[in-house]
Amino acid sequence: MLAAATLALLATIALALLRAALGPTVFDRLQAANSIGTVAMLLLAVFGFLRGRPDFLDLALVYGLLNVIGVIAILKFFRQGDLGADEESR
Amino acid sequence: MNEILPFLGGLGLLAGAGFCLVGAVGLLRMPDFYTRMHAASVIETLGAGLILCGLLLQAGFTLVGAKLLMIGLLIFFASPTASHALARAALLRGLKPKLASPEDK
Amino acid sequence: MVRSISFFLTLALFWLLLSGMFTPFLLAAGAGSAFAVALIARRMDLLDHEGHPVQLAWGAVLSYWPWLLKEIVKSAWDVSRRILDPRLPIAPTLAEFAPSQKTDLGLVIHANSITLTPGTVAVEVAAGRFLVHALTREGAAGLAGSEMDRRCAALERP
């Protein structure tokens, strides 16, 4: 069952990658990247169980934290062209 | 009794992976960005939730189980924030959502 | 002070969770790190009613989470059915309504809950005005004065 779940998650990532490649707007690509991040986190957890190495969960945790911060940072960069810009002075 | 919990966990795992696939299909099928967002949130809620529950049933009440709960909390608190930021940025950029006309049913 | 102590305990618990080793040296290092971070956060004035909300009505929170979970499962099932339906029966709608929460934290919890539920995404969030993109007309119609709105208002404490 773990192997089947791993395969299904890989297929999910492939489909999301297709959406990222198709676009058409930058937000579609970012949405796909966000989904890929979430699924990669789940994939890390499931794969850790598959190989009997639950310490993969730490990697999943860090990956999740970075994923959210990454998406928000890229969004901010696209909106203001500057990571340090003040939200109000748009 | 010791057999049934891991079995249920396996079922949850499969169901969660299935919902992830459904969400990815939605990501491809939906007509515009805002509707795709709803498909992605199926992955982030039911897909992730069922997979983590399945793993939790296989792990039991250990440190590993606590870490799985932590990952679940992280997804459930952070993913709506990212979705909201995306939607708001898209709207501010002037990306118009495709809306259904008010009359047709 | 209650806030700082609660923050310290949360950090120490997080350390234990991540390390999973219980040797005296690592326990002491964890307690020291948690104490230092709590002290710095206190000096930076990060521990206010939003940074570490101990003032929420926690009884209501504990009954809110299972209810929210039930709602998420229901609407996720609905959205999955629509995705797999060959006719793709969706009617995207933008809906605007006035939430009844008074504090910023209550508004954020309400908006996050809306976004977390598949089929609705909160696009604009301000006091007294939510703009929500819904996948169906029924989803958009059931937003104003919903049970979620009432439950989120019950969580707040000034």
Side-chain angles (χ1 to χ4, degrees), chain A residues 1-2 8 12 15 19 27-28 30-31 34-35 38-39 41-42 46 49 54 57-58 61 65 68 75 78-79 87, chain B residues 10 13 17 20-21 24 27-28 33 36-37 40 44 48 55 64 67-68 71 74-75 78 85-86 89-90 93:
Chain A
M1 289 203 198
L2 282 166
T12 308
L15 290 178
R19 171 47 71 196
F27 300 106
D28 289 296
L30 264 177
Q31 173 72 73
N34 191 18
S35 296
T38 309
V39 178
M41 197 170 154
L42 295 172
V46 175
F49 270 69
L57 286 181
D58 293 334
L61 207 53
L65 285 168
V68 177
L75 268 182
F78 268 108
R79 224 159 64 196
E87 186 75 10
Chain B
L13 210 60
C20 282
L21 269 178
L27 216 50
L28 287 177
F33 165 71
R36 271 171 216 142
M37 189 155 267
E44 274 155 15
L55 290 180
V64 173
K67 269 182 201 163
L68 284 170
I71 292 179
L74 177 70
I75 291 183
L86 264 169
R93 258 295 184 85

Side-chain angles (χ1 to χ4, degrees), chain C residues 55-72:
Chain C
Q55 85 282 3
L56 285 178
W58 282 99
V61 172
L62 285 185
S63 75
Y64 179 61
W65 281 350
W67 179 83
L68 181 64
L69 223 56
K70 195 193 80 198
E71 288 299 301
I72 288 173

Side-chain angles (χ1 to χ4, degrees), chain C residues 62-125:
Chain C
L62 285 185
S63 75
Y64 179 61
W65 281 350
W67 179 83
L68 181 64
L69 223 56
K70 195 193 80 198
E71 288 299 301
I72 288 173
V73 171
K74 262 200 314 203
S75 54
W77 177 247
D78 185 55
V79 172
S80 318
R81 264 203 3 243
R82 283 173 198 276
I83 290 174
L84 292 182
D85 194 315
R87 288 176 297 118
L88 205 62
I90 58 170
T93 317
L94 272 181
E96 203 179 315
F97 74 104
S100 65
Q101 287 77 29
K102 284 176 198 68
T103 60
D104 281 354
L105 191 63
L107 288 170
V108 166
I109 293 175
H110 189 184
N112 254 8
S113 307
I114 288 177
T115 311
L116 201 50
T117 324
T120 45
V121 172
V123 184
E124 292 270 7
V125 176

Side-chain angles (χ1 to χ4, degrees), chain B residues 27-81:
Chain B
L27 216 50
L28 287 177
R29 274 196 79 191
M30 288 294 185
D32 79 327
F33 165 71
Y34 296 93
T35 44
R36 271 171 216 142
M37 189 155 267
H38 300 297
S41 76
V42 172
I43 297 181
E44 274 155 15
T45 55
L46 208 53
L50 278 175
I51 284 182
L52 290 175
C53 277
L55 290 180
L56 194 63
L57 283 178
Q58 300 203 333
F61 288 102
T62 53
L63 201 67
V64 173
K67 269 182 201 163
L68 284 170
L69 274 181
M70 201 73 213
I71 292 179
L73 276 183
L74 177 70
I75 291 183
F76 271 57
F77 273 88
S79 78
T81 317

